[in-house]
Amino acid sequence: MKAGDVISVYSDIKGKCKKGAKEFDETKIFLGNGISELSRKELFSGLPELKGIGIRMTEPVYLSPSFDNVLPGYLFLQNLPSAVVAHVLNPQPGEKILDLCAAPGGKTTHIAALMHDQGEVIALDKVSNKVEKIRQNALLLGLNSIRAFCFDGTKALKLEMVEDTEGEPPFLPESFDRILLDAPCSGMGQRPNMACSWTLKEVTSYQPLQRKLFSVAVQLLKPGGVLVYSTCTITLAENEEQVAWALRTFPCVQLQYQEPQIGGEGMMGAGLSFEQLKQLQRFDPSVVPLPDTDINSLRDTRIEDMIWLANKDCIGFFIAKFVKCKST
């Protein structure tokens, strides 16, 4: 393979392909054709430091165009459910908002934009280079209301005024009008995802962390304030079971209906009532029959049905909205 050659690209589903292999007959999925930017020798001699474009795709199997660097100061590309979250939170100008697990900052910047950049948006993440990414995105979009800190969200609550931290974490109880907890999760709703290397232990490890973060969020929220909990996964344990646990553990919070309501209702199995399940939003791409759909057959489809299909053909995602009814 030389630079400029036309190349077919496949995904090695099971991770069996050895570096330098001349042929490969294991399980693979065709992703499309492209033109090589580098020779085979340049690719392999440059690893693992080599970064950038190796193959420029000219005939991808996915028809969506690339939005990389398209009006970067004006547009921020998000999955549909990720964009819905900030609208469900419904931040208002002048409010103090906390994004408890904020990186890389897509929802943070959306919140600030919905507030017309008036008020204060505190963004926390415990990984320093991710926090830097939040700051870069805020700067790129010209948003001045965002303050990002490298801080562990589970330690964001301080119970007494030991020293004045001048608006930096940790924070005193009931300091925020609205809080977004887009919790760390197993990420099983992310797609396309060609290979799955999760273990059962990994998938089940997130529930305790999510509960720690939720407990902190409830205490940091003002009475009358809104708390939105979201994940990009599809497991009952990280979604509906967490809602049921929260309602049992914190009598001061109540589940709320969401606006806009684009996803489906919650999944049964966690002991929530039918009414409560209707108050949740679960985005489940498995309900869309697209793999068996002939694209040409969609030409005569009603616009409402096309919108329904488009709204459902997204990543797997979950949203729950709570209001804090009384002080803790």
Side-chain angles (χ1 to χ4, degrees):
M1 185 182 84
K2 301 180 181 66
D5 283 356
V6 176
I7 304 296
S8 291
V9 179
Y10 293 82
S11 175
D12 169 21
I13 297 299
K14 296 182 178 176
K16 295 285 183 69
C17 188
K18 299 287 191 290
K19 177 183 171 183
K22 296 287 177 70
E23 54 185 48
F24 182 67
D25 295 322
E26 299 281 344
T27 308
K28 58 191 177 186
I29 286 186
F30 179 61
L31 299 180
N33 298 321
I35 297 172
S36 176
E37 297 281 301
L38 301 162
S39 70
R40 185 175 189 277
K41 184 178 179 181
E42 286 172 316
L43 278 174
F44 284 113
S45 63
L47 294 173
E49 290 81 15
L50 187 65
K51 289 183 171 59
I53 297 174
I55 311 292
R56 190 173 299 279
M57 300 301 288
T58 54
E59 298 173 297
V61 294
Y62 300 104
L63 300 178
S64 56
S66 170
F67 283 89
D68 286 348
N69 294 316
V70 176
L71 298 173
Y74 297 91
L75 301 180
F76 193 102
L77 196 61
Q78 279 188 301
N79 290 295
L80 173 66
S82 301
V84 170
V85 165
H87 286 285
V88 170
L89 186 67
N90 193 25
Q92 300 299 308
E95 290 184 333
K96 188 174 183 180
I97 313 290
L98 175 63
D99 190 348
L100 201 50
C101 304
K107 298 178 187 71
T108 310
T109 51
H110 192 189
I111 289 167
L114 290 175
M115 296 165 67
H116 307 293
D117 206 22
Q118 297 170 23
E120 189 175 10
V121 183
I122 303 292
L124 304 185
D125 202 277
K126 65 179 184 179
V127 182
S128 58
N129 62 336
K130 289 184 176 181
V131 174
E132 192 52 41
K133 188 69 177 174
I134 299 170
R135 291 175 180 145
Q136 288 172 5
N137 284 328
L139 186 65
L140 184 65
L141 294 165
L143 297 166
N144 301 308
S145 58
I146 296 169
R147 299 177 67 204
F149 299 98
C150 184
F151 202 84
D152 183 349
T154 63
K155 300 173 182 174
L157 175 72
K158 65 176 176 183
L159 295 175
E160 53 188 41
M161 180 70 81
V162 179
E163 57 181 291
D164 187 7
T165 52
E166 295 186 9
E168 298 182 4
F171 304 104
L172 288 169
E174 302 185 346
S175 295
F176 294 93
D177 298 293
R178 298 172 200 262
I179 297 177
L180 172 60
L181 173 52
D182 186 46
C185 68
S186 57
M188 295 182 76
Q190 295 287 4
R191 58 190 284 256
N193 195 330
M194 292 297 173
C196 176
S197 58
W198 297 299
T199 64
L200 182 60
K201 186 176 180 182
E202 283 178 295
V203 172
T204 57
S205 68
Y206 290 95
Q207 197 184 65
L209 173 60
Q210 292 161 351
R211 291 185 178 186
K212 275 187 185 176
L213 289 163
F214 194 95
S215 300
V216 169
V218 169
Q219 293 175 82
L220 287 173
L221 189 63
K222 293 178 181 178
V226 170
L227 167 57
V228 171
Y229 172 84
S230 63
T231 73
C232 58
T233 197
I234 54 177
T235 69
L236 194 71
E238 296 172 76
N239 296 326
E240 287 84 356
E241 281 187 16
Q242 298 294 54
V243 172
W245 166 84
L247 294 174
R248 287 195 309 269
T249 309
F250 302 102
C252 62
V253 301
Q254 289 182 352
L255 210 51
Q256 294 283 293
Y257 281 98
Q258 302 177 35
E259 181 62 38
Q261 182 86 28
I262 295 174
E265 59 190 42
M267 186 191 295
M268 294 174 62
L272 297 172
S273 68
F274 289 118
E275 195 63 32
Q276 289 169 327
L277 294 177
K278 288 178 182 176
Q279 292 174 303
L280 306 174
Q281 283 201 77
R282 177 180 270 270
F283 290 82
D284 182 1
S286 68
V287 303
V288 181
L290 282 185
D292 304 318
T293 301
D294 176 11
I295 295 297
N296 293 322
S297 71
L298 295 174
R299 287 183 177 150
D300 299 325
T301 308
R302 292 187 315 148
I303 188 71
E304 294 86 353
D305 294 332
M306 287 291 284
I307 292 171
W308 182 90
L309 268 178
N311 287 349
K312 295 294 180 280
D313 185 26
C314 60
I315 66 169
F317 208 86
F318 178 84
I319 310 172
K321 179 181 180 180
F322 301 87
V323 67
K324 186 173 179 178
C325 304
K326 58 186 177 185
S327 175
T328 50

